[in-house]
Amino acid sequence: MDNPITGPELTRAWRVRVGLSQGELGAMIGVAQSIVSFCEKGTRMLTLLQALALQGVSKGEVPATSWGYTPEEIARVLAAAEFQPVADDPRPSQAA
C-alpha cells in the first residue's frame, strides 16, 4: 500500500509549483524561512495555527490534515476562534 503524501511533501511541491521561495512562504504564514526549511525536511512540524495559515494561503491544496491534525482538532480551534458556529453551543442566545 502507498503511503499518503505528507505535509512536508505537499508543502514543498505546492510551494515550488506556485514559485514561492521558503522565505516568501514563511512570511505568508508568519514563520522564518528556516522553519519552512525544517518543516519541508520533516524535522519540524507546523503548529496547528501555522498549518491552518498554510491551508488558507494554498487555498486548501495543503490541508492542515496533511500535517497530522484531525478534523476534530481543526474544528475545535476554528470554533474557539469563532470562525464557525459550535454545535450545541451552551451559551444563551442573544435576543435582538
Side-chain angles (χ1 to χ4, degrees):
M1 180 184 348
D2 292 330
N3 290 332
I5 297 175
T6 65
E9 295 165 329
L10 262 179
T11 300
R12 177 169 169 69
W14 176 80
R15 179 184 61 76
V16 170
R17 186 173 54 75
V18 299
L20 292 173
S21 69
Q22 290 178 338
E24 290 167 329
L25 176 56
M28 294 172 80
I29 65 170
V31 301
Q33 174 276 325
S34 60
I35 300 300
V36 174
S37 176
F38 290 135
C39 289
E40 287 183 354
K41 291 176 187 172
T43 57
R44 186 183 188 285
M45 186 169 157
L46 289 177
T47 67
L48 178 50
L49 293 179
Q50 293 163 346
L52 286 170
L54 177 57
Q55 178 175 298
V57 300
S58 71
K59 296 181 171 58
E61 291 187 47
V62 184
T65 53
S66 70
W67 285 93
Y69 296 104
T70 66
E72 294 78 18
E73 290 171 312
I74 294 165
R76 268 196 310 274
V77 167
L78 294 177
E82 296 186 349
F83 287 128
Q84 63 184 25
V86 178
D88 301 317
D89 189 344
R91 297 177 291 182
S93 61
Q94 300 291 322

